[in-house]
Amino acid sequence: MPADINPLWHSIAALSADTAADTLVRWQQQETEVRRQLSQGGVARPGQLQGLSGLQVFEGISKGELPYPHVSEGADIWPIEYEAGRFVFQGHPPQRFLNPMGTLHGGWIATMLDSAVGCAVHTTLPAGVAYTTAELKISYLRALTLKVPLVRAEGRIISSGRQLGFAEGRLYGPDGKVYAHATTTCLVMTPSAG
């Protein structure tokens, strides 16, 4: 884990330097570029992943050498940025996920945050090691409606060890408002010898 990752959430604070409109334009441009480089949705074959660390898997996806997960198309959430211990997904709040009160269903928000915090843990794992979410806790801070055209879920590692990984995440809009917060505990699975 890099020493410069800290809990102050510099990327969210940096939004205040721009107007929400400027940030929205920048986010849209970044997504266009990212999606242009992706190949197609699917599931990687085991041989494609052999010998790749978690970070190398995401490098392969971002270069179009590995398929991106189907959930990106279904939920309209896209991998935008990553580095060791940090992962950002961007999503377009879809009308099909509105609840009867006209706000986004918590399950869509949970999908974004689970992806961000889980992938933050995954970026720290060596080749041949997998993970699964053992626990996901989400606090919904404010309602998310279709008036917010784009949101980002940013996950950051808290700790990653041989058996467990811990991360936290925030879902925020271009104006910097935080809509939800999550923490996760991931079970790290090392293949048994023999």
Side-chain angles (χ1 to χ4, degrees):
M1 178 176 80
D4 62 348
I5 291 185
N6 65 58
L8 296 178
W9 297 90
H10 290 294
S11 10
I12 295 173
L15 294 177
S16 62
D18 292 336
T19 67
D22 292 338
T23 300
L24 179 61
V25 168
R26 187 169 31 84
W27 284 7
Q28 290 168 330
Q29 291 170 342
Q30 190 175 11
E31 181 181 329
T32 298
E33 181 60 30
V34 166
R35 288 177 70 170
R36 187 175 325 148
Q37 295 175 28
L38 297 175
S39 64
Q40 61 183 13
V43 177
R45 296 181 312 279
Q48 290 178 291
L49 302 177
Q50 189 172 1
L52 298 181
S53 69
L55 200 55
Q56 290 170 322
V57 167
F58 294 120
E59 289 169 357
I61 292 170
S62 69
K63 292 176 182 175
E65 297 166 357
L66 294 172
Y68 61 83
H70 284 298
V71 69
S72 289
E73 293 171 342
D76 203 2
I77 61 174
W78 301 92
I80 295 295
E81 299 175 357
Y82 63 90
E83 60 188 305
R86 178 178 169 270
F87 211 100
V88 178
F89 280 88
Q90 183 162 289
H92 301 255
Q95 184 172 358
R96 67 185 176 279
F97 286 99
L98 288 177
N99 62 33
M101 286 85 61
T103 59
L104 266 290
H105 189 280
W108 184 79
I109 293 169
T111 298
M112 281 202 68
L113 283 166
D114 185 39
S115 299
V117 294
C119 288
V121 170
H122 194 178
T123 63
T124 67
L125 299 180
V129 177
Y131 79 97
T132 189
T133 301
E135 178 183 57
L136 179 68
K137 180 187 180 298
I138 302 197
S139 297
Y140 298 94
L141 307 176
R142 60 174 38 99
L144 178 60
T145 69
L146 297 181
K147 291 179 183 177
V148 182
L150 282 177
V151 290
R152 284 193 169 184
E154 182 171 351
R156 290 185 182 258
I157 195 80
I158 297 170
S159 173
S160 186
R162 288 188 354 241
Q163 296 180 328
L164 296 174
F166 301 91
E168 66 176 329
R170 296 180 185 203
L171 184 90
Y172 55 94
D175 59 359
K177 286 184 182 174
V178 178
Y179 292 88
H181 175 267
T183 57
T184 191
T185 303
C186 293
L187 177 64
V188 176
M189 300 176 293
T190 305
S192 59

